[in-house]
Amino acid sequence: MVYKRIRDLREDRDLTQKEMSRILNCSQQVYSNYELGQRDIPTDILIKLSSFYKVSVDYILGISDNPKIQK
């Protein structure tokens, strides 16, 4: 679920893995491994993804189907 969500979020914004890896300050291979589920996503990267996409971490993790950040 997590891996599909981050791929879908990226593709919805017409971004490449290389562009996302630059935004997250990691290699394209590391980012690819996140999307493929071959590497756990560290907490700081989850927070960066949440902030960049303006969605909740719960949404990225599949805990919630509501992408809105609760205040």
Side-chain angles (χ1 to χ4, degrees):
M1 173 79 67
V2 174
Y3 316 110
K4 181 174 177 358
R5 288 242 165 120
I6 64 170
R7 185 188 69 226
D8 290 346
L9 286 165
R10 176 181 60 78
E11 289 177 347
D12 287 349
R13 286 155 183 84
D14 295 322
L15 295 167
T16 65
Q17 287 185 347
K18 189 168 189 101
E19 290 167 324
M20 278 311 302
S21 69
R22 284 190 197 126
I23 290 164
L24 298 173
N25 198 28
C26 66
S27 72
Q28 186 272 327
Q29 184 60 53
V30 166
Y31 184 79
S32 176
N33 288 339
Y34 294 153
E35 283 194 4
L36 293 171
Q38 296 174 344
R39 186 177 196 137
D40 286 338
I41 304 171
T43 303
D44 64 317
I45 297 295
L46 282 171
I47 292 167
K48 285 180 184 179
L49 288 166
S50 172
S51 178
F52 179 78
Y53 291 125
K54 298 185 179 12
V55 298
S56 68
V57 171
D58 284 356
Y59 177 76
I60 293 172
L61 294 174
I63 296 169
S64 169
D65 288 329
N66 180 3
K68 303 263 188 223
I69 297 174
Q70 301 297 317
K71 294 186 181 187

